Amino acid sequence: MVDASRAGPRAPGRAWRWRRNPLRRRSDVVDAWIGLLLAVLLFVGAPLAGALTGWAVHTQEAAQADRLRATSHSVQAVVTDRLPRPDADSQQVGGGVLLPATVRWTTADGTRSGVAKVPAGTEQGGSVQIRVDDRGNVVPPVRSDVVIAADAIETGSVVTAATFLVVGGARLTANALSTHHHLVEWERDWVKTAPDWSAHGR
């Protein structure tokens, strides 16, 4: 009878691949390192990629908003035509839909007109706030901090999910290739050892 108190701890799962033993092959060590690398990419790399992407998007959009605030100002304008109906390509800002419309506003040099994005539902002749630069050209509306943060979170989440799927797919592929490789190895070794087993069995 084997003394259980003297038996060493058994390595759970695939931990035996990290220990020296007669059954371990070079391919087992390679599989272990590949599995560790993919696990790190899956649980560390994917969230980190999403966080870095979200941070980059937030930084870029915040800088763009600061430039617009510094180089443009808000003026009161009047919508001179009827707005088109919203569609899938309509710009959304802060939960609202913006549509292109011809607007007219007054400057120190007279009256000017141009195309600006205005809230959907604005009636012809309605008053809206638009932004123009120092030369009087219409510029895009400044995105709020809330919208910028929402864009950054959404983009980061998409990148995290995409990275997770790619690495997860790579892990499944690696497992399938590893299993196939081991089966080939076992079959080759069995061809070598089968005659000896048959001889001992006689």
Side-chain angles (χ1 to χ4, degrees), residues 115-147:
V115 177
K117 296 290 184 69
V118 302
T122 304
E123 299 291 341
Q124 184 177 8
S127 179
V128 293
Q129 288 282 337
I130 64 170
R131 295 192 72 87
V132 296
D133 59 20
D134 295 337
R135 293 176 294 180
N137 298 317
V138 178
V139 298
V142 178
R143 312 191 83 183
S144 67
D145 293 339
V146 174
V147 173

Short mmCIF file of all heavy atoms in Angstrom, two decimals, residues 115-147:
data_model
loop_
_atom_site.label_atom_id
_atom_site.label_comp_id
_atom_site.label_asym_id
_atom_site.label_seq_id
_atom_site.Cartn_x
_atom_site.Cartn_y
_atom_site.Cartn_z
N VAL A 115 -23.81 76.55 -44.47
CA VAL A 115 -24.43 75.30 -44.06
C VAL A 115 -23.84 74.89 -42.72
O VAL A 115 -22.61 74.82 -42.56
CB VAL A 115 -24.19 74.19 -45.10
CG1 VAL A 115 -24.77 72.86 -44.62
CG2 VAL A 115 -24.81 74.58 -46.44
N ALA A 116 -24.73 74.63 -41.77
CA ALA A 116 -24.30 74.23 -40.42
C ALA A 116 -25.12 73.05 -39.96
O ALA A 116 -26.22 72.79 -40.48
CB ALA A 116 -24.43 75.41 -39.45
N LYS A 117 -24.61 72.30 -38.99
CA LYS A 117 -25.36 71.21 -38.38
C LYS A 117 -26.23 71.78 -37.26
O LYS A 117 -25.73 72.44 -36.34
CB LYS A 117 -24.40 70.16 -37.81
CG LYS A 117 -23.55 69.46 -38.87
CD LYS A 117 -24.43 68.56 -39.72
CE LYS A 117 -23.60 67.76 -40.72
NZ LYS A 117 -22.76 66.75 -40.08
N VAL A 118 -27.54 71.53 -37.36
CA VAL A 118 -28.48 72.05 -36.36
C VAL A 118 -29.31 70.89 -35.81
O VAL A 118 -29.41 69.83 -36.44
CB VAL A 118 -29.40 73.12 -36.98
CG1 VAL A 118 -28.58 74.27 -37.55
CG2 VAL A 118 -30.30 72.52 -38.05
N PRO A 119 -29.89 71.03 -34.63
CA PRO A 119 -30.68 69.95 -34.04
C PRO A 119 -31.86 69.56 -34.91
O PRO A 119 -32.54 70.42 -35.49
CB PRO A 119 -31.13 70.53 -32.70
CG PRO A 119 -30.16 71.61 -32.39
CD PRO A 119 -29.78 72.19 -33.71
N ALA A 120 -32.09 68.25 -35.03
CA ALA A 120 -33.27 67.77 -35.76
C ALA A 120 -34.53 68.29 -35.12
O ALA A 120 -34.62 68.41 -33.90
CB ALA A 120 -33.27 66.24 -35.78
N GLY A 121 -35.50 68.63 -35.94
CA GLY A 121 -36.75 69.18 -35.43
C GLY A 121 -36.81 70.69 -35.45
O GLY A 121 -37.86 71.28 -35.18
N THR A 122 -35.70 71.35 -35.78
CA THR A 122 -35.69 72.80 -35.87
C THR A 122 -36.53 73.24 -37.07
O THR A 122 -36.35 72.74 -38.18
CB THR A 122 -34.25 73.34 -36.02
OG1 THR A 122 -33.45 72.87 -34.94
CG2 THR A 122 -34.24 74.86 -36.03
N GLU A 123 -37.43 74.14 -36.86
CA GLU A 123 -38.32 74.60 -37.92
C GLU A 123 -37.63 75.65 -38.79
O GLU A 123 -36.69 76.31 -38.36
CB GLU A 123 -39.61 75.21 -37.33
CG GLU A 123 -40.43 74.23 -36.50
CD GLU A 123 -41.08 73.16 -37.35
OE1 GLU A 123 -41.18 73.37 -38.58
OE2 GLU A 123 -41.48 72.11 -36.80
N GLN A 124 -38.11 75.77 -40.02
CA GLN A 124 -37.63 76.82 -40.91
C GLN A 124 -37.95 78.18 -40.29
O GLN A 124 -39.06 78.43 -39.85
CB GLN A 124 -38.30 76.71 -42.28
CG GLN A 124 -37.78 77.70 -43.29
CD GLN A 124 -38.42 77.48 -44.66
OE1 GLN A 124 -39.34 76.69 -44.80
NE2 GLN A 124 -37.90 78.16 -45.66
N GLY A 125 -36.94 79.04 -40.20
CA GLY A 125 -37.10 80.34 -39.55
C GLY A 125 -36.75 80.30 -38.07
O GLY A 125 -36.76 81.35 -37.40
N GLY A 126 -36.44 79.10 -37.56
CA GLY A 126 -36.08 78.98 -36.16
C GLY A 126 -34.68 79.49 -35.89
O GLY A 126 -33.83 79.59 -36.78
N SER A 127 -34.43 79.84 -34.63
CA SER A 127 -33.14 80.39 -34.24
C SER A 127 -32.28 79.28 -33.63
O SER A 127 -32.76 78.47 -32.82
CB SER A 127 -33.34 81.51 -33.22
OG SER A 127 -32.10 82.04 -32.81
N VAL A 128 -31.01 79.24 -34.02
CA VAL A 128 -30.07 78.23 -33.51
C VAL A 128 -28.73 78.88 -33.21
O VAL A 128 -28.42 79.97 -33.70
CB VAL A 128 -29.86 77.09 -34.54
CG1 VAL A 128 -31.13 76.28 -34.72
CG2 VAL A 128 -29.35 77.65 -35.86
N GLN A 129 -27.95 78.20 -32.39
CA GLN A 129 -26.60 78.63 -32.10
C GLN A 129 -25.63 77.84 -32.98
O GLN A 129 -25.68 76.62 -33.04
CB GLN A 129 -26.26 78.38 -30.63
CG GLN A 129 -26.96 79.31 -29.65
CD GLN A 129 -26.31 80.68 -29.59
OE1 GLN A 129 -25.13 80.84 -29.92
NE2 GLN A 129 -27.07 81.68 -29.17
N ILE A 130 -24.76 78.56 -33.69
CA ILE A 130 -23.73 77.90 -34.50
C ILE A 130 -22.38 78.48 -34.11
O ILE A 130 -22.30 79.48 -33.39
CB ILE A 130 -23.96 78.10 -36.01
CG1 ILE A 130 -23.86 79.59 -36.38
CG2 ILE A 130 -25.32 77.53 -36.42
CD1 ILE A 130 -23.83 79.84 -37.87
N ARG A 131 -21.32 77.83 -34.58
CA ARG A 131 -19.98 78.34 -34.31
C ARG A 131 -19.31 78.70 -35.63
O ARG A 131 -19.43 77.98 -36.63
CB ARG A 131 -19.14 77.31 -33.56
CG ARG A 131 -19.66 77.00 -32.18
CD ARG A 131 -18.65 76.21 -31.39
NE ARG A 131 -17.50 77.04 -30.98
CZ ARG A 131 -17.47 77.76 -29.86
NH1 ARG A 131 -18.53 77.78 -29.04
NH2 ARG A 131 -16.40 78.47 -29.56
N VAL A 132 -18.62 79.84 -35.62
CA VAL A 132 -17.88 80.30 -36.80
C VAL A 132 -16.48 80.67 -36.37
O VAL A 132 -16.23 81.04 -35.20
CB VAL A 132 -18.57 81.51 -37.48
CG1 VAL A 132 -19.94 81.12 -38.00
CG2 VAL A 132 -18.69 82.67 -36.49
N ASP A 133 -15.53 80.54 -37.32
CA ASP A 133 -14.16 80.92 -36.98
C ASP A 133 -13.94 82.41 -37.21
O ASP A 133 -14.88 83.15 -37.52
CB ASP A 133 -13.17 80.07 -37.79
CG ASP A 133 -13.35 80.24 -39.30
OD1 ASP A 133 -13.95 81.26 -39.72
OD2 ASP A 133 -12.91 79.36 -40.06
N ASP A 134 -12.68 82.84 -37.07
CA ASP A 134 -12.38 84.26 -37.17
C ASP A 134 -12.62 84.82 -38.57
O ASP A 134 -12.76 86.03 -38.75
CB ASP A 134 -10.92 84.52 -36.77
CG ASP A 134 -10.67 84.19 -35.30
OD1 ASP A 134 -11.66 84.21 -34.53
OD2 ASP A 134 -9.52 83.88 -34.94
N ARG A 135 -12.67 83.95 -39.59
CA ARG A 135 -12.93 84.39 -40.96
C ARG A 135 -14.40 84.29 -41.33
O ARG A 135 -14.76 84.54 -42.47
CB ARG A 135 -12.09 83.57 -41.93
CG ARG A 135 -10.59 83.82 -41.81
CD ARG A 135 -9.79 82.93 -42.72
NE ARG A 135 -9.90 81.52 -42.34
CZ ARG A 135 -9.29 80.52 -42.96
NH1 ARG A 135 -8.53 80.79 -44.03
NH2 ARG A 135 -9.43 79.29 -42.55
N GLY A 136 -15.22 83.88 -40.36
CA GLY A 136 -16.65 83.80 -40.60
C GLY A 136 -17.12 82.49 -41.19
O GLY A 136 -18.27 82.38 -41.60
N ASN A 137 -16.26 81.49 -41.26
CA ASN A 137 -16.65 80.19 -41.79
C ASN A 137 -17.29 79.33 -40.70
O ASN A 137 -16.83 79.32 -39.55
CB ASN A 137 -15.43 79.46 -42.35
CG ASN A 137 -14.79 80.22 -43.50
OD1 ASN A 137 -15.48 80.74 -44.37
ND2 ASN A 137 -13.46 80.29 -43.49
N VAL A 138 -18.31 78.59 -41.08
CA VAL A 138 -18.98 77.70 -40.13
C VAL A 138 -18.05 76.54 -39.78
O VAL A 138 -17.42 75.94 -40.65
CB VAL A 138 -20.30 77.17 -40.71
CG1 VAL A 138 -20.97 76.19 -39.74
CG2 VAL A 138 -21.24 78.32 -41.05
N VAL A 139 -17.96 76.21 -38.50
CA VAL A 139 -17.13 75.09 -38.04
C VAL A 139 -18.04 74.11 -37.29
O VAL A 139 -19.14 74.47 -36.87
CB VAL A 139 -15.99 75.58 -37.12
CG1 VAL A 139 -15.06 76.51 -37.88
CG2 VAL A 139 -16.55 76.27 -35.88
N PRO A 140 -17.60 72.87 -37.11
CA PRO A 140 -18.42 71.88 -36.39
C PRO A 140 -18.68 72.32 -34.96
O PRO A 140 -17.89 73.06 -34.37
CB PRO A 140 -17.57 70.60 -36.44
CG PRO A 140 -16.62 70.82 -37.57
CD PRO A 140 -16.36 72.28 -37.62
N PRO A 141 -19.78 71.86 -34.37
CA PRO A 141 -20.04 72.18 -32.97
C PRO A 141 -19.00 71.54 -32.05
O PRO A 141 -18.46 70.48 -32.36
CB PRO A 141 -21.43 71.59 -32.73
CG PRO A 141 -21.60 70.53 -33.77
CD PRO A 141 -20.85 71.03 -34.96
N VAL A 142 -18.73 72.19 -30.95
CA VAL A 142 -17.77 71.66 -29.97
C VAL A 142 -18.41 70.51 -29.21
O VAL A 142 -19.52 70.65 -28.67
CB VAL A 142 -17.32 72.76 -29.00
CG1 VAL A 142 -16.34 72.18 -27.97
CG2 VAL A 142 -16.66 73.90 -29.77
N ARG A 143 -17.75 69.40 -29.18
CA ARG A 143 -18.27 68.23 -28.47
C ARG A 143 -18.06 68.42 -26.97
O ARG A 143 -16.99 68.84 -26.53
CB ARG A 143 -17.59 66.96 -28.95
CG ARG A 143 -17.52 66.85 -30.46
CD ARG A 143 -17.08 65.48 -30.89
NE ARG A 143 -18.21 64.55 -30.89
CZ ARG A 143 -18.09 63.26 -31.18
NH1 ARG A 143 -16.91 62.75 -31.45
NH2 ARG A 143 -19.15 62.48 -31.18
N SER A 144 -19.06 68.04 -26.20
CA SER A 144 -18.98 68.19 -24.74
C SER A 144 -18.07 67.11 -24.15
O SER A 144 -17.77 66.09 -24.78
CB SER A 144 -20.38 68.09 -24.12
OG SER A 144 -20.90 66.78 -24.27
N ASP A 145 -17.66 67.35 -22.89
CA ASP A 145 -16.81 66.37 -22.21
C ASP A 145 -17.52 65.04 -22.04
O ASP A 145 -16.89 63.98 -22.09
CB ASP A 145 -16.39 66.92 -20.84
CG ASP A 145 -15.47 68.13 -20.95
OD1 ASP A 145 -14.85 68.29 -22.02
OD2 ASP A 145 -15.40 68.91 -19.99
N VAL A 146 -18.84 65.09 -21.83
CA VAL A 146 -19.60 63.85 -21.65
C VAL A 146 -19.59 63.02 -22.93
O VAL A 146 -19.40 61.80 -22.91
CB VAL A 146 -21.05 64.17 -21.22
CG1 VAL A 146 -21.88 62.89 -21.18
CG2 VAL A 146 -21.07 64.85 -19.86
N VAL A 147 -19.79 63.67 -24.07
CA VAL A 147 -19.80 62.97 -25.36
C VAL A 147 -18.41 62.41 -25.66
O VAL A 147 -18.27 61.28 -26.15
CB VAL A 147 -20.26 63.93 -26.47
CG1 VAL A 147 -20.12 63.26 -27.83
CG2 VAL A 147 -21.71 64.33 -26.24
#
